[in-house]
Amino acid sequence: MKTVVAIFGTSLGKKILMAASGLGLFLFTVGHLVGNLQIFSSDPLTINRYAALLKANAELLWAVRLGLLALIAIHIVTAVQLSAANAAARPERYLDGKPFKASSASRYMIVSGLILLFFIIYHLLHYTVLFLNDEFHTLVDSEGNHDVYRMMIMGFSNPLVSLFYILSVGMLCFHLSHGIAAMFQSLGLRTKAYAVAIDRFAFYVPILMFIGYASIPAAVMLGIVK
């Protein structure tokens, strides 16, 4: 046990922890997107049935939620620790104020991460805890399920909410544009044979995710989904 703790107390161990937690969060965001895109189904009840299925096993649902919170905590703590260690190892600032050949996404990972943390808290209060709108609690569809479809329509009908959501998922994808490539590197999966494929994956997947997530509030505001 002490050996395991010692390994993850090293810089390499922390990088692995951050990458592994990032992988878990990335897979969740992909799954979450697939679920949310059901709002475009020809039957509005489809997404309500999906949400009801997820809530059918409360113990499993809360286990997943607590697991995600643990992943977020691990990701944040290791990111801050590694950032502090890097700063301490190079106390003198770069001549032009930025690392050589570093992308904008890599330079602002901590900033984008903190913005995403704020968005996650807001998003949970808005659509999970239903703390920001009492009307959401009373929405029920014709099958007796919570009317998630109507809740999303009501929520994204507010232009400020939709704009904030779109900007936030844009920040998420900006974060992922560097995070995905770094994840493969830290887990030792980035080899010369797969480097080009990984770079393309890290470039195109965040763009596709942004289009998918942003399409939902955009469709509501444009009256495509109503």
Side-chain angles (χ1 to χ4, degrees):
M1 183 64 180
K2 290 183 178 180
T3 303
V4 175
V5 173
I7 291 174
F8 289 113
T10 65
S11 177
L12 177 60
K14 290 173 183 176
K15 287 181 179 180
I16 293 174
L17 276 177
M18 185 169 69
S21 60
L23 174 60
L25 293 171
F26 168 68
L27 293 176
F28 169 76
T29 58
V30 173
H32 190 56
L33 173 59
V34 172
N36 285 353
L37 287 176
Q38 293 181 74
I39 195 173
F40 292 109
S41 171
S42 57
D43 183 1
L45 297 180
T46 300
I47 194 169
N48 296 347
R49 293 173 186 142
Y50 167 72
L53 179 64
L54 293 179
K55 295 178 181 178
N57 191 326
E59 293 80 6
L60 179 60
L61 179 62
W62 276 104
V64 171
R65 286 173 174 173
L66 292 175
L68 287 171
L69 290 175
L71 289 176
I72 291 172
I74 292 171
H75 201 67
I76 291 174
V77 170
T78 52
V80 171
Q81 290 176 334
L82 288 169
S83 179
N86 289 338
R90 190 184 293 274
E92 295 182 7
R93 293 184 60 83
Y94 294 92
L95 183 61
D96 60 354
K98 57 186 179 183
F100 179 63
K101 289 187 177 180
S103 67
S104 296
S106 65
R107 292 198 303 272
Y108 297 106
M109 287 295 280
I110 292 294
V111 175
S112 61
L114 291 174
I115 294 173
L116 287 175
L117 177 61
F118 175 77
F119 169 67
I120 290 170
I121 293 172
Y122 172 82
H123 188 59
L124 289 174
L125 291 175
H126 192 201
Y127 282 135
T128 302
V129 183
L130 310 183
F131 179 75
L132 302 179
N133 193 323
D134 291 335
E135 292 181 78
F136 288 174
H137 291 277
T138 61
L139 297 174
V140 179
D141 66 17
S142 59
E143 296 182 347
N145 296 319
H146 182 220
D147 200 341
V148 175
Y149 181 89
R150 185 54 47 193
M151 179 182 71
M152 293 174 70
I153 299 297
M154 291 174 62
F156 289 132
S157 292
N158 184 326
L160 291 179
V161 171
S162 287
L163 179 61
F164 175 63
Y165 186 90
I166 291 172
L167 290 175
S168 296
V169 295
M171 185 61 68
L172 167 65
C173 296
F174 177 74
H175 192 82
L176 287 174
S177 66
H178 172 72
I180 292 175
M183 175 182 70
F184 280 100
Q185 180 74 32
S186 296
L187 294 177
L189 301 175
R190 183 184 175 86
T191 63
K192 290 183 178 180
Y194 298 107
V196 174
I198 289 173
D199 287 342
R200 288 177 178 173
F201 182 82
F203 178 79
Y204 289 110
V205 168
I207 292 175
L208 293 174
M209 290 182 66
F210 174 75
I211 293 172
Y213 272 114
S215 67
I216 299 172
V220 172
M221 289 193 294
L222 293 173
I224 297 172
V225 176
K226 55 186 176 180

